Amino acid sequence: MISRFFRRRINAIVHEIRFNFWPYLFVLPALLILGSFLIYPALSAFRMSFFDWQLLGDSEFVGLDNYLRFWELPNVKTAIFNTLQYTLLNVPGTLFASLFIAILLNQEIRGRAWFRVLFYLPVISSDVAVSLLWKWIYWAGERGLLNNVIGLLGFAPQDWLGDPDLAMPMVVLLTIWKGVGINMLIFLAGLQAIPRDLYESAQVDGASIWGQFRYVTWPLLRPVTLVVALLLTISSLQVFTPIFVMTGGGPANHTLTIAFYIYNTAFRNGLYGFAAAISYILFGFILALTIIQRRIFRDVSF
Amino acid sequence: MNTKRSITYLFTLVLLLVLAINGASLAQNQVTITFQQPWSLDSDRGRVVQSLIDDFMAANPDIVVEIRDTGVNNEVFVTEVLSGDAADVVMFGEDGVVLFAPQDAFLDLSDFVADWDESKRNDFYESVWGFGTFEERQYGIPWIAHSMALIYNRTMFEEAGLDPDAPPTTWEELYSYAEQLTSGEQYGYGLVGLQGHDMAWSWYNFVRQNGGTLATQDGDDWSVALNSPEALEALEFYIRLRDVAPPETTTTGGGEANTLFVQGRVAMYVLGPWAVAGINNEAPDIEVGVAPLPYSMVPATTAGAGLLTVPRTTQNPEAAWRLIDFLTEVENQVKLVSTGFAFRIPTRQSAVQDEWFQEHPEYIPFVEGLSYGYSPIVLDIAREWSVVHNEVVQAELSRAFIGEVSPAEALQSMENSGNLLLNR
């Protein structure tokens, strides 16, 4: 019974490949690359998460130990807390900044294309290069670029990345600047899908600019907003590069995030099993979040 | 086509073939070994390595050495060992040696060392020699090394009315010199305050100079020894140095401290020999002075080494050892570190007598530093210590540095959390 089921499945697959040979051939290179550099490592990390993994020598099978005991690792709670803090700042921050800019750039203004390019430029810049650049902007003391600017306004220089209360918001500010471009683009697409006659009839009914936004733009943008929020949440939970380049998790672990913590656990502390387990917990968390947001998204009427 | 000419061609071809076959049979008496080292062969350093290897092959016609210059990376090395593709001689930092020696990745070289002339063995600085020892067996032979020294700007000393030939030797002098060197946008000391490894080893220097230590052993058990009066004084002094350091010190790592010195923003800082070479390169106008680290009780500095190891998968241990023996000769060590960008120092005491060091006395403090050099890793418990070092010490140090907790509280946490990790 079961074997017949499988035989039928296999026959179906063979049939499928025979009749769609060329398309499958064309996706094969991408499939091979993704398979060896994405899927295979991900699966072997899953296996690793059940072992006290040794680079050389025998790895000991520990069952669910890494999943049940990761809580005992030092700083892991700090990393979770900081990541949530980062997410709570970054998601609304980037979302509203992108929406605002998208609305501005949706108007008939001079040099509109140029502005769109300018806002998009940070997106295609290298994360590492941009982080280094911002590290200099945030440089403490009177020589820092930002300190120079606020100095002109009469404020005292700040230790932007060295002050425990400022460090994380400053990292978020960089990611907002970096992320605005791509999300602005998504919002622009959403804005242009809104029929113009809705605005015309709103104007006829005497709606103000705010009224038009509140009762036309915002509700019609809701699906787009949800997509942006979802993408932002996923990327926020995985933030790594700016932390790695700018703060090293400091000062005093105030910018230690989960992704950076996983990196430390594996590549600095050699606890590969724990690192793999935390990665999968993070994966599960993101997956759950995605499913929930998809549910909400599905219930939205267009 | 001219027949005569074709016959000549044919004849030449046959001759070449015969020669090639001869050559191949000659080569059968040779062994080929691979040497894995970090420098690309088209870099200056890689070319020096190549010329050393050429010398070696000229002196040892029975050995052919192929250089692998893809760098040395832990994960790649593991893959190579597991697939039997590891090189015959590999250069590792002491962190690599203590990571892989317990996992049986290396050949025990103790018997080869025993055959050495005692004068050669005893010429190595004990500190760096110990970097290759695990459970009393020798797995790595220190090839090149580094220690830290006080690097200072002689011109700024003169401008501040200080004698550039009498750099500070004690903590108090260090502080008062730094105070006198601080004025306007110039600061006395390039203090490392960015949470991380550089900040930790910078502070360990002070702990050890004050007679403290990182961890102590009692039977089989290890415990964190940083909650001590010596370490407390060291931490208080470290934080006090903020007064004579630029405001950006909380984001200053080792590399940034070097940049501050090159830019003429700080008058003194602490780093290894590569820094001196770098300053001479980037800012030839700066008159660089180098002095042993100032200390309160005992001289001490962080040190590290590049060690030559033989992976256990080798087919030619004899040939591998002969290469190690050759590379660790004093003149070859000096040749490697001194050509072009002098970035490391030899591991042997007699090296300072070499002509090059007479011409470059600024490197001598680094060599002498090896006589009181320590690894920032507690080598016997390297894996456990690395977690304490990365997760506990660095964070607590940073917390005390920015004033979130008192120095005493930070040390208490280091002890509590650190011991939990060591006894896990």
Side-chain angles (χ1 to χ4, degrees):
Chain A
M1 176 71 187
I2 289 170
S3 76
R4 228 174 79 193
F5 171 77
F6 275 112
R7 204 177 309 140
R8 216 186 284 158
R9 301 292 306 178
I10 289 166
N11 280 341
I13 292 169
V14 169
H15 182 85
E16 170 71 19
I17 290 177
R18 185 178 296 159
F19 282 87
N20 286 316
F21 176 74
W22 287 106
Y24 280 107
L25 188 73
F26 288 141
V27 296
L28 191 65
L31 205 65
L32 281 179
I33 291 171
L34 286 177
S36 21
F37 296 110
L38 194 78
I39 298 165
Y40 173 73
L43 290 178
S44 49
F46 188 59
R47 184 168 165 259
M48 199 184 273
S49 70
F50 298 103
F51 286 83
D52 178 10
W53 193 264
Q54 307 290 326
L55 282 180
L56 283 174
D58 299 325
S59 301
E60 192 192 339
F61 181 78
V62 294
L64 286 171
D65 235 35
N66 290 335
Y67 287 92
L68 300 174
R69 296 187 54 207
F70 86 96
W71 202 245
E72 294 167 22
L73 289 175
N75 302 332
V76 73
K77 283 165 230 173
T78 315
I80 293 171
F81 174 81
N82 289 342
T83 308
L84 292 179
Q85 189 198 6
Y86 176 90
T87 308
L88 286 178
L89 288 172
N90 186 39
V91 175
T94 310
L95 197 140
F96 287 113
S98 329
L99 178 59
F100 183 69
I101 293 168
I103 290 171
L104 288 186
L105 292 184
N106 200 33
Q107 316 294 319
E108 300 290 335
I109 54 166
R110 194 190 285 266
R112 190 167 70 163
W114 277 109
F115 280 117
R116 286 180 184 175
V117 169
L118 279 182
F119 281 111
Y120 197 74
L121 267 182
V123 179
I124 54 167
S125 312
S126 138
D127 271 352
V128 175
V130 159
S131 303
L132 276 175
L133 213 67
W134 278 69
K135 190 175 176 178
W136 293 329
I137 293 177
Y138 288 148
W139 207 237
E142 67 281 5
R143 287 197 317 169
L145 208 60
L146 185 55
N147 276 336
N148 248 302
V149 173
I150 65 163
L152 294 178
L153 303 172
F155 292 101
Q158 297 291 320
D159 191 355
W160 300 106
L161 293 174
D163 184 319
D165 298 326
L166 283 175
M168 188 60 106
M170 289 301 122
V171 175
V172 172
L173 197 62
L174 153 68
T175 34
I176 291 177
W177 173 79
K178 180 113 174 53
V180 148
I182 185 85
N183 296 302
M184 166 201 81
L185 216 62
I186 303 176
F187 274 125
L188 266 176
L191 286 172
Q192 292 182 348
I194 300 176
R196 293 232 54 92
D197 41 352
L198 288 178
Y199 289 104
E200 278 163 28
S201 47
Q203 276 161 6
V204 170
D205 291 342
S208 63
I209 303 246
W210 169 248
Q212 288 175 36
F213 173 79
R214 174 72 187 79
Y215 297 105
V216 179
T217 315
W218 182 243
L220 286 172
L221 270 184
R222 238 181 103 188
V224 180
T225 312
L226 275 165
V227 171
V228 170
L230 173 66
L231 292 176
L232 277 173
T233 310
I234 293 174
S235 69
S236 296
L237 293 174
Q238 297 174 317
V239 60
F240 175 80
T241 314
I243 307 289
F244 182 73
V245 176
M246 294 206 296
T247 63
N253 282 346
H254 282 281
T255 58
L256 180 74
T257 59
I258 295 177
F260 188 61
Y261 187 76
I262 292 172
Y263 169 84
N264 279 346
T265 306
F267 299 111
R268 285 201 195 151
N269 302 336
L271 302 172
Y272 293 91
F274 273 116
I278 304 172
S279 306
Y280 268 92
I281 292 170
L282 179 64
F283 167 73
F285 195 66
I286 292 177
L287 188 71
L289 214 69
T290 313
I291 292 169
I292 294 168
Q293 281 195 321
R294 291 290 292 239
R295 280 273 157 75
I296 302 169
F297 177 63
R298 208 173 47 194
D299 296 340
V300 169
S301 50
F302 285 88
Chain B
M1 192 197 256
N2 187 328
T3 336
K4 222 186 227 168
R5 193 185 274 176
S6 1
I7 289 173
T8 321
Y9 276 136
L10 197 73
F11 184 71
T12 320
L13 196 73
V14 170
L15 201 74
L16 277 175
L17 264 174
V18 171
L19 278 175
I21 291 164
N22 255 330
S25 66
L26 245 177
Q28 272 174 5
N29 302 326
Q30 289 180 322
V31 295
T32 303
I33 58 171
T34 323
F35 174 36
Q36 186 162 14
Q37 49 84 52
W39 305 290
S40 161
L41 283 179
D42 51 25
S43 69
D44 286 347
R45 183 82 44 213
R47 276 189 282 274
V48 181
V49 172
Q50 181 68 66
S51 83
L52 285 173
I53 294 301
D54 291 344
D55 292 350
F56 174 76
M57 290 198 290
N60 299 273
D62 56 328
I63 303 177
V64 176
V65 182
E66 283 169 5
I67 302 176
R68 204 181 279 177
D69 64 348
T70 45
V72 183
N73 168 294
N74 287 355
E75 283 74 30
V76 174
F77 176 69
V78 169
T79 320
E80 287 170 349
V81 169
L82 293 177
S83 60
D85 188 37
D88 300 276
V89 177
V90 182
M91 189 190 117
F92 264 110
E94 75 275 14
D95 51 336
V97 176
V98 291
L99 178 63
F100 293 125
Q103 305 189 47
D104 206 18
F106 302 126
L107 216 60
D108 174 14
L109 302 172
S110 309
D111 291 342
F112 287 115
V113 175
D115 286 344
W116 254 353
D117 200 45
E118 215 160 86
S119 64
K120 177 163 181 178
R121 160 66 188 86
N122 293 336
D123 196 25
F124 284 87
Y125 278 104
E126 278 310 311
S127 60
V128 283
W129 185 262
F131 292 173
T133 316
F134 179 73
E135 291 182 345
E136 291 171 23
R137 315 300 297 169
Q138 199 67 24
Y139 293 99
I141 308 299
W143 186 25
I144 49 172
H146 71 265
S147 74
M148 304 298 176
L150 183 75
I151 300 169
Y152 60 97
N153 186 319
R154 296 177 64 95
T155 318
M156 287 182 183
F157 266 51
E158 279 166 11
E159 284 165 2
L162 297 164
D163 180 2
D165 291 319
T169 57
T170 65
W171 287 5
E172 284 317 309
E173 277 178 16
L174 176 68
Y175 189 85
S176 79
Y177 276 50
E179 235 177 354
Q180 292 172 64
L181 287 160
T182 303
S183 75
E185 291 208 5
Q186 178 188 311
Y187 293 86
Y189 189 73
L191 186 64
V192 174
L194 175 74
Q195 179 178 345
H197 175 67
D198 288 343
M199 187 184 187
W201 68 249
S202 299
W203 173 60
Y204 292 160
N205 282 348
F206 289 96
V207 173
R208 287 204 153 111
Q209 287 159 5
N210 210 24
T213 183
L214 310 187
T216 45
Q217 189 178 17
D218 180 21
D220 280 344
D221 294 334
W222 283 84
S223 51
V224 175
L226 288 168
N227 191 15
S228 66
E230 295 86 2
L232 181 62
E233 262 180 34
L235 183 51
E236 283 165 350
F237 184 71
Y238 199 82
I239 296 169
R240 208 176 128 211
L241 283 170
R242 277 191 84 157
D243 303 342
V244 289
E248 57 265 36
T249 190
T250 41
T251 42
T252 303
E256 286 87 359
N258 181 64
T259 308
L260 292 175
F261 185 84
V262 169
Q263 293 172 341
R265 185 154 168 88
V266 297
M268 302 185 282
Y269 76 120
V270 172
L271 211 59
W274 60 89
V276 176
I279 298 160
N280 289 337
N281 242 359
E282 288 170 54
D285 298 340
I286 295 182
E287 275 199 67
V288 185
V290 181
L293 293 184
Y295 60 92
S296 56
M297 312 266 292
V298 279
T301 169
T302 294
L307 301 106
L308 299 173
T309 62
V310 181
R312 65 171 147 86
T313 45
T314 184
Q315 302 295 313
N316 299 296
E318 288 286 337
W321 177 256
R322 272 162 64 191
L323 178 62
I324 292 180
D325 182 40
F326 175 85
L327 292 173
T328 50
E329 285 301 305
V330 167
E331 71 257 33
N332 294 330
Q333 289 188 340
V334 174
K335 197 170 167 190
L336 176 73
V337 300
S338 65
T339 312
F341 189 85
F343 73 124
R344 288 289 191 280
I345 44 166
T347 52
R348 295 179 57 179
Q349 303 175 38
S350 57
V352 284
Q353 275 132 38
D354 190 281
E355 206 180 315
W356 187 81
F357 279 97
Q358 305 309 316
E359 288 163 21
H360 297 88
E362 69 272 23
Y363 284 93
I364 293 179
F366 294 108
V367 183
E368 289 173 349
L370 292 182
S371 61
Y372 44 82
Y374 294 92
S375 173
I377 309 165
V378 180
L379 295 169
D380 303 87
I381 46 165
R383 274 194 77 184
E384 295 81 1
W385 179 257
S386 82
V387 186
V388 177
H389 173 78
N390 292 327
E391 299 303 330
V392 179
V393 174
Q394 292 174 17
E396 292 303 329
L397 195 53
S398 176
R399 292 180 73 194
F401 194 75
I402 60 172
E404 204 173 79
V405 294
S406 75
E409 286 168 334
L411 297 183
Q412 185 68 54
S413 308
M414 283 184 202
E415 183 180 65
N416 295 349
S417 319
N419 283 342
L420 273 179
L421 286 171
L422 291 185
N423 303 320
R424 199 159 52 91

